[in-house]
Amino acid sequence: MKSLVISTSLSITGADVLYVGQQINLDLQALSKAYPKIISLDYAVKLFNSYTTFLINNAVSDIGFSLYDPANENLVYHEYRYKVVLGVDVRSVTKGNRLGTGGKPVETVWVPSSAAFTPWVIWSPTMLNLSKEQQRSIVSGTKWLIPGEGSTFKGKYEGGIWSSLGLYASGDLGVEGQVWKI
């Protein structure tokens, strides 16, 4: 049996990563403004360096930011989640234009005094297929450990709803944003 190999070319520039990263950062700043006792503005802004590094290296398939209660089995009260999309899935929608604007005002929900904030990622197949040395190079300077060496956030989702933030995209890079709220 013969096999057929189809390859596609992606062209993701630093400008694409910066645009998409800035939209996520605007959302995080709005989340910090809504919950200043749980996520400081300084911390929200510092996360930019990590997830943009991951985006430029195609290291993640999902990026998430969760307000949750560790005292209640990690019940998630409010979460922003971004699914990375690449190539033709982005170009077919954007037609080469930038799309989406982050930072919309956040409708807060009640959270208990024990609520905490955590950023998390789901590593991409590309990252998982790299050597440990290459993975360490990518996570260097971020708060993350390489796949398999750090813990993964496991939230409990009950009694809430998902809504869409839409697509933030530039060039061949995009993220589809969703918000979870109880």
Side-chain angles (χ1 to χ4, degrees):
M1 176 184 281
K2 291 184 178 183
S3 63
L4 175 65
V5 176
I6 299 172
S7 67
T8 58
S9 174
L10 291 177
S11 176
I12 298 173
T13 68
D16 298 333
V17 171
L18 285 175
Y19 181 80
V20 172
Q22 286 170 343
Q23 303 320 304
I24 295 170
N25 190 259
L26 291 170
D27 286 345
L28 276 176
Q29 289 179 44
L31 197 62
S32 172
K33 186 176 180 181
Y35 301 98
K37 292 181 179 174
I38 301 172
I39 174 176
S40 73
L41 179 58
D42 184 53
Y43 184 56
V45 171
K46 283 181 181 176
L47 287 169
F48 178 83
N49 293 333
S50 296
Y51 58 79
T52 55
T53 297
F54 298 155
L55 289 171
I56 197 80
N57 286 287
N58 190 20
V60 293
S61 60
D62 294 77
I63 304 166
F65 306 99
S66 302
L67 279 87
Y68 70 103
D69 187 2
N72 188 7
E73 301 172 356
N74 289 348
L75 179 65
V76 176
Y77 285 85
H78 206 152
E79 177 177 281
Y80 277 47
R81 179 181 295 191
Y82 304 89
K83 178 80 173 158
V84 178
V85 289
L86 302 169
V88 71
D89 292 334
V90 177
R91 276 182 269 141
S92 65
V93 174
T94 66
K95 310 287 190 253
N97 298 311
R98 290 185 169 158
L99 185 66
T101 305
K104 294 171 185 69
V106 174
E107 249 183 68
T108 61
V109 298
W110 177 86
V111 295
S113 60
S114 55
F117 171 80
T118 191
W120 54 267
V121 298
I122 296 175
W123 299 112
S124 71
T126 300
M127 180 69 159
L128 296 172
N129 286 319
L130 296 175
S131 70
K132 300 285 184 199
E133 183 177 301
Q134 291 169 311
Q135 291 174 351
R136 280 190 182 84
S137 175
I138 290 170
V139 302
S140 176
T142 71
K143 73 166 244 42
W144 274 270
L145 299 172
I146 65 171
E149 290 187 4
S151 62
T152 302
F153 176 71
K154 300 264 193 261
K156 181 171 82 171
Y157 300 85
E158 292 179 352
I161 57 166
W162 287 102
S163 58
S164 176
L165 290 169
L167 178 68
Y168 303 152
S170 179
D172 283 348
L173 174 66
V175 294
E176 292 178 0
Q178 290 190 311
V179 178
W180 167 266
K181 289 193 296 190
I182 285 186

